Amino acid sequence: MIQRPPKKPIKNIRQPDFDQPSIYSLSLADLEDLALRWGEDKYRGGQIFEWLYTHRVDRFEDMMNLPKSMREALAESYSIDPLETVVKQESKDGTMKFLFRLRDGYTIETVLMRHDYGNSVCVTTQVGCQIGCSFCASTLGGLKRNLEAGEIVSQIVQIQKVLDDTDERVSSVVIMGIGEPFENYVQMMQFLRIINHDDGLNIGARHITVSTSGIVPRIYDFADEDIQINFAVSLHAADNDIRTSLMPINKAYDIDKLMESLKYYQQQTNRRVTFEYGLFGGVNDQPEHARELSELIKDLKCHVNLIPVNHVPERNYVRTSRDDIFQFLETLNECGVNATLRREQGTDIDAACGQLRAKESKQETGE
């Protein structure tokens, strides 16, 4: 039996401080409480929730079954449209990438990916990132601030509005965009509960995946949440020296600490962990690396998702050759590891996390 270490406080990363917070930051229960505080019946909160997520209105004044005074109070107190579309790119494979501008001028990215099994959206949780992974454009310019829950929810709502034109829906969500979700833990968890609600966007928990670079204290917290959300960890190496060169977060939470927290996660949840493993030419992509990875994860119920690295102009990693990619995959399979190769999408647009934002916002990234 693995005991979790004492709970650690969540770091105080700057949160937005708007005069009008996003209405999308409020859960159904929050909206019901708001209605009661304003002297209205509780069911008015449910009406607001329905207008937001079923009818997907753009203005409070369109919530026609609410009293006029309540619509006016909502307009004075909350923002309903926190995202402005700056750029929309569409790949020949149907992938769509959006650059959204926030109310304070910062920009974020969101990606719609089309699969045989449905439409998946990759959302962003922070403006920039401070994790410092050496292969990622998201870290260019550092971290500006966390997103509020409503700014994350709005990414889904905005893309769902695009899909409404063709009678499609967002069927799954991955939290793998710009930023480290577990460094915006409270807002991320609020986002998850809102999009998962049956009366809202109704995205099933098992169709949602959260990915972390390995913020160990929050992994313990997530293990105790009692939710069915899928869980992924960006690993990229089974050797501490290599992983630290790729992911400086490994200095704070090395592989031993990370694996201990994942064993606790499985002890508490009995759920599979997905390891994201980026292949970088000449760094971590040889058969000996595959065997080392197999040995590291042999005691976990897990899956390995191999990712041939996207080229980022600001970084100097070389793409692994096709032969080496399939040799690595074959070695893992020979060692009994359940592994697959991620299908690449959006290769003809700014596909890597942070590329579009870095290109469009030179001042923001300090370039």
Side-chain angles (χ1 to χ4, degrees), residues 4-270:
R4 66 164 293 165
K7 190 175 179 67
K8 289 190 175 182
I10 295 174
K11 290 195 296 184
N12 185 26
I13 294 175
R14 187 165 73 90
Q15 301 282 355
D17 185 23
F18 298 124
D19 292 336
Q20 291 180 305
S22 172
I23 191 68
Y24 292 107
S25 289
L26 303 186
S27 66
L28 175 58
D30 294 333
L31 291 169
E32 290 173 339
D33 290 343
L34 178 68
L36 292 173
R37 290 200 308 273
W38 284 358
E40 301 286 348
D41 291 327
K42 180 179 178 179
Y43 75 88
R44 295 294 189 189
Q47 290 178 321
I48 299 171
F49 204 70
E50 182 179 0
W51 281 112
L52 292 174
Y53 298 108
T54 301
H55 304 297
R56 292 187 275 280
V57 298
D58 295 318
R59 305 180 304 171
F60 290 115
E61 61 191 81
D62 292 335
M63 299 180 177
M64 298 306 297
N65 58 354
L66 296 180
K68 183 179 179 181
S69 60
M70 192 173 191
R71 283 178 275 157
E72 291 174 346
L74 285 168
E76 290 175 1
S77 303
Y78 293 95
S79 167
I80 195 173
D81 190 20
L83 303 182
E84 173 195 354
T85 301
V86 179
V87 177
K88 181 172 72 173
Q89 296 181 338
E90 185 165 4
S91 169
K92 60 187 178 183
D93 65 15
T95 300
M96 299 178 73
K97 189 158 194 176
F98 298 79
L99 185 73
F100 293 121
R101 180 173 288 118
L102 306 170
R103 284 174 287 166
D104 53 7
Y106 289 125
T107 54
I108 58 172
E109 296 176 358
T110 310
V111 181
L112 167 66
M113 297 164 287
R114 298 181 184 274
H115 306 282
D116 293 340
Y117 54 83
N119 297 307
S120 179
V121 176
C122 180
V123 299
T124 284
T125 54
Q126 295 181 305
V127 180
C129 184
Q130 67 177 3
I131 298 301
C133 297
S134 60
F135 51 85
C136 184
S138 299
T139 65
L140 299 172
L143 176 66
K144 304 304 181 184
R145 67 168 174 87
N146 278 333
L147 297 185
E148 59 177 329
E151 291 173 314
I152 313 174
V153 173
S154 292
Q155 295 171 59
I156 305 294
V157 173
Q158 291 300 314
I159 291 181
Q160 182 57 62
K161 288 178 180 179
V162 172
L163 293 175
D164 286 342
D165 292 338
T166 51
D167 295 323
E168 299 176 86
R169 71 181 297 266
V170 175
S171 53
S172 61
V173 172
V174 292
I175 309 178
M176 298 182 184
I178 295 173
E180 165 52 61
F182 278 12
E183 288 205 323
N184 193 12
Y185 188 81
V186 173
Q187 299 299 312
M188 181 202 72
M189 291 305 303
Q190 179 77 342
F191 159 75
L192 292 176
R193 295 184 181 101
I194 290 170
I195 66 167
N196 178 235
H197 199 283
D198 292 346
D199 296 331
L201 294 169
N202 192 25
I203 299 172
R206 296 189 182 190
H207 296 280
I208 303 172
T209 301
V210 175
S211 177
T212 180
S213 61
I215 310 298
V216 165
R218 300 290 80 80
I219 293 175
Y220 285 104
D221 292 342
F222 193 67
D224 292 334
E225 292 285 356
D226 191 26
I227 55 176
Q228 299 295 308
I229 304 293
N230 299 317
F231 183 46
V233 176
S234 295
L235 186 61
H236 305 313
D239 172 88
N240 272 314
D241 289 339
I242 296 176
R243 190 167 191 263
T244 297
S245 71
L246 294 167
M247 307 178 68
I249 191 66
N250 198 68
K251 295 177 183 177
Y253 307 113
D254 65 19
I255 289 174
D256 288 343
K257 293 176 182 176
L258 176 61
M259 298 306 292
E260 186 76 0
S261 70
L262 295 178
K263 290 175 182 176
Y264 178 83
Y265 171 82
Q266 290 206 327
Q267 172 185 287
Q268 297 301 104
T269 68
N270 197 34

Side-chain angles (χ1 to χ4, degrees), residues 338-349:
N338 182 356
T340 53
L341 185 64
R342 175 182 288 179
R343 181 168 72 93
E344 295 182 88
Q345 293 182 267
T347 55
D348 55 328
I349 58 177

